[in-house]
Amino acid sequence: MTDQPRSLASTLFPVGLLLIAMASIQSGASLAKSMFPLVGAQGTTTLRLVFASLILLLVLRPWRATLTAKSLRTVIIYGIALGGMNFLFYMSLRTVPLGIAVALEFTGPLTVALLSSRKAIDFVWIALAVTGLLLLIPTKESGANIDLIGIGYALGAGVCWALYIVSGQKAGADNGIQTAALGVLIAAIFIAPIGIVHAGSALLTTALGVAVLSTALPYSLEMIALTRLPARTFSTLTSIEPAFGALSGLLFLHESLTLMQWLAIGSIILASVGATLTMRPKSPTLVPAD
């Protein structure tokens, strides 16, 4: 009699963690964008990753993880993808509104969802998400002027996001949540030289809040969700990220959106809810006894 409630709880738990992670990362992105005048997008990315890696090293103590040559390779790919995703996304924020940048970046997980789909209903939710994505992109008629280089950075971040999902599942299966600490450390090492060259001594500015909100907390929660949800489900659920981005941009950066863009966000949210309600429960993984 308790099987159904337990199954429902096991499904909703990683979904809830993912929602918290998305709200956290977009709030942190708003805070980070306000730091651009001080250290630039490159310096902000570096500060975010360095502080977050220090926090996760202390909390998760990843040196306890047992790494093989194969698992180390997946962690390195995961870390580089994470670093590239952060760097390219922040570079796009210099000229693109937060909600639009997140929508463009979403092409990455959307592609993962599309390639992983097996049921006809999946394509309905993906079509809704694509519709919302297209409506979020300003046109000439809307009077908005979006920088093409900024769009390119956001789409590049989407490629890294797709790689982050695929490699994160593989790396997380080997080392669990400790993978988040290892990945962020690798990402910090990968991006730090760029930030140091660009910002120099200005990097001494404290960015603890950005590190916690944008990296340490959300990527830890996402790693838990990644190990409990299929890649297709994770990718489709993250379609709600543009909504969090748009709300954060409105609340913290005063970046208002048109009615059409809010309707687009509603379409994306509907796609996320539909994907959640129709997803197939993941088969339980056998865990060897101690």
Side-chain angles (χ1 to χ4, degrees), residues 104-141:
L104 291 169
E105 187 189 25
F106 177 66
T107 54
L110 184 63
T111 300
V112 173
L114 181 60
L115 295 177
S116 305
S117 294
R118 294 293 181 269
K119 298 185 298 183
I121 191 64
D122 296 333
F123 291 93
V124 174
W125 310 129
I126 291 173
L128 271 174
V130 170
T131 300
L133 174 65
L134 293 176
L135 290 175
L136 274 174
I137 300 175
T139 61
K140 291 182 179 179
E141 289 75 16

Side-chain angles (χ1 to χ4, degrees), residues 60-75 170-179 182:
L60 299 180
R61 292 176 287 178
W63 52 83
R64 298 181 301 174
T66 303
L67 294 174
T68 64
K70 181 180 178 181
S71 63
L72 180 60
R73 183 168 60 251
T74 59
V75 169
K170 294 179 180 178
D174 292 332
N175 297 294
I177 193 174
Q178 290 177 332
T179 303
L182 294 170

